[in-house]
Amino acid sequence: MHNPGNATPDRFPAEERFEGGAQYIAGRLTRGTSGRTHAVVDPASGEEVLRYELAGTADVDRAVAAAREAFPGWAGATPGERSDALHRFAAVLADRAEDFARAESLQCGKPLKLSREFDVPGTIDNTAFFAGAARLLQGQSAGEYSGDHTSYIRREPIGVVGSIAPWNYPLQMAAWKILPAIAAGNTIVLKPAELTPLTSLLFAQAATDAGIPDGVINIVTGTGSKAGEHLVGHPDVAMTSFTGSTAVGRRVAEIATATVKRLHLELGGKAPFVVFDDADLEAAVHGAVAGALINSGQDCTAATRAYVQRPLYDAFVERTAALMETIRLGDPFAPGTDLGPLISHVQRDRVAGFVDRARAYARVVTGGQAPGGQLAKGAYYRPTLITGAAQDSEVVQSEIFGPVLVVLPFDTDDDGIALANDTPYGLAASAWSRDVYRANRATREIKAGCVWVNDHIPIISEMPHGGYKSSGCGKDMSAYSFEEYTQIKHVMFDNTAVAAKDWHRTVFGDR
């Protein structure tokens, strides 16, 4: 359905706001020195909104040096001091929420209601959470575990973190990388996707305005092959955190392990949506459409594979297709828009390729094409429902990253869970049932980092996000993320004051 509504003319003044450049190093905007430029393009119109100089390796070196210089002071601050700074940071973000929402919608094509109601408030809440969590860097209680010694655990920051964030949720992913790192006392250099640097830069500026010292947060905007690989391999970077595709994650791991860095990877997904025959059908249909189409399906936890037990299968397909057909594609800034464009025409064509190839072996129930008319200039693609695909087919096994849902039937509960686990990925999943025992079994046996019951997609700051298998390792958000961003040190004190200890006889002397 096409209902573009009336677009708001007051978008985000990107050229004015980033006149100083698209690199943020030691508390100020600067221009990249690679000798190459790149354009941020509004995917809803195809129009260029900012052209900037890309970062080169020298810019990465300067950013890492700034982070390294800032590290002793920031790591030496008390947890309370870091907490106070993060509370001020959250307040600045809240004051600038509309700016962030408009910038995010402009560079990504997200409907403004998604940016306003999901991306921005989620990021503010995440900042407030880590402001509190900064005071709770706990270890195991002190105790006399050997009898003659007192042991305790120290959590210490690692050093300079080099992180790479993706283009699908630029603001939230920047926050997920930056916040636990700095709450734990590290400093950071973040490379956002070159397609979507605007909100990462605004985020770093807000941190400076909140009083977080220069050099604690640095942004380098460059290509993955140049700036990204140089950052990951930099000898002064102690840890790498990467969110993106599994294929690129393997390359990041290869570079990082060559210098024995701490590594955190949040990679691809192909989330199963398992509907048992006692499920609330209307709830499952609404959950599937929302879970498949959020952010135009450009979400690694999006519902992509719906497995529906046969008694509900036909009704589920019929009602899901009907609900998809009511989705309003349009200008992201128009109040009536439900679904915006994909991030680029390249991504739109990639999604269309998956669907077009699937026509040879499956049925496209609804969608399966780009809209015409007023939306033809943008990277739009209609919500698409596919049935009749085999479990080993491309659309079932590969991450499409677009508004495409594939529905397959299953017979027994064993079959449904086995099918859900039958991909290389394991980031997220959902199970739909009114039976608590059935649902609990699904949460135990589905191999994924998050399993929702009777819902799909919601995330909260207090709970971790991260996957199994080829979906990566480590956790974002929550206090569990400190496992990634801190070193664990065991400290042991002798309590005996005895010079010649009994165990010394294993080296010299007799009992």
Side-chain angles (χ1 to χ4, degrees), residues 349-421:
D349 293 346
R350 178 180 180 275
V351 170
F354 276 103
V355 176
D356 290 344
R357 290 189 296 274
R359 296 179 196 278
Y361 56 80
R363 176 188 172 215
V364 177
V365 179
T366 188
Q369 61 185 344
Q374 292 175 298
L375 301 183
K377 291 183 179 179
Y380 290 88
Y381 198 76
R382 294 193 183 280
T384 300
L385 185 68
I386 295 175
T387 62
Q391 174 66 14
D392 62 356
S393 63
E394 180 186 48
V395 289
V396 175
Q397 292 294 325
S398 298
E399 188 173 32
I400 298 173
F401 228 56
V404 179
L405 176 65
V406 185
V407 187
L408 297 88
F410 71 91
D411 293 306
T412 68
D413 289 17
D414 288 349
D415 293 337
I417 291 172
L419 289 167
N421 285 330

Side-chain angles (χ1 to χ4, degrees), residues 7 73 183 211 221 246-247 346 446 471:
T221 308
T246 298
V346 170
I446 292 176
S471 290

Side-chain angles (χ1 to χ4, degrees), residues 184-323:
N186 302 287
T187 56
I188 189 167
V189 179
L190 174 80
K191 192 200 87 66
E194 57 268 36
L195 293 173
T196 55
L198 305 185
T199 45
S200 297
L201 293 165
L202 291 177
F203 193 73
Q205 288 178 307
T208 297
D209 292 343
I212 292 175
D214 293 349
V216 171
I217 300 172
N218 305 275
I219 309 294
V220 290
T221 308
T223 64
S225 60
K226 295 293 184 183
E229 292 200 1
H230 190 64
L231 178 62
V232 172
H234 200 289
D236 290 334
V237 169
M239 174 189 167
T240 290
S241 177
F242 170 80
T243 296
S245 71
T246 298
V248 177
R250 292 190 184 102
R251 174 61 179 159
V252 169
E254 178 185 347
I255 298 169
T257 53
T259 51
V260 199
K261 286 177 170 52
R262 176 80 64 89
L263 187 61
H264 167 221
L265 299 172
E266 197 266 90
L267 307 178
K270 190 71 177 175
F273 187 99
V274 184
V275 183
F276 295 100
D277 57 15
D278 67 329
D280 180 326
L281 180 60
E282 288 305 309
V285 167
H286 282 78
V289 173
L293 301 185
I294 188 170
N295 204 36
S296 297
Q298 298 168 129
D299 187 312
C300 47
T301 64
T304 58
R305 301 178 289 139
Y307 297 103
V308 184
Q309 211 153 19
R310 286 194 191 275
L312 294 184
Y313 177 79
D314 290 338
F316 179 91
V317 170
E318 179 183 354
R319 296 186 193 189
T320 299
L323 186 55

Side-chain angles (χ1 to χ4, degrees), residues 6 69 88 97 101 114 121 134 161 163 179 193 254 319 333 352 400 419 426 432 462 482 484:
N6 296 313
E69 183 178 351
R88 294 193 302 270
L114 178 62
V161 177
S163 291
L179 293 170
E254 178 185 347
R319 296 186 193 189
F333 287 80
I400 298 173
L419 289 167
W432 297 74
E462 292 82 359
F482 287 137
E484 319 305 324

Side-chain angles (χ1 to χ4, degrees), residues 124-149:
I124 295 168
D125 182 73
N126 212 225
T127 308
F129 170 81
F130 278 106
R135 291 178 178 263
L136 295 171
L137 285 168
Q138 297 176 338
Q140 189 174 5
S141 298
E144 288 68 49
Y145 298 99
S146 78
D148 290 340
H149 305 82

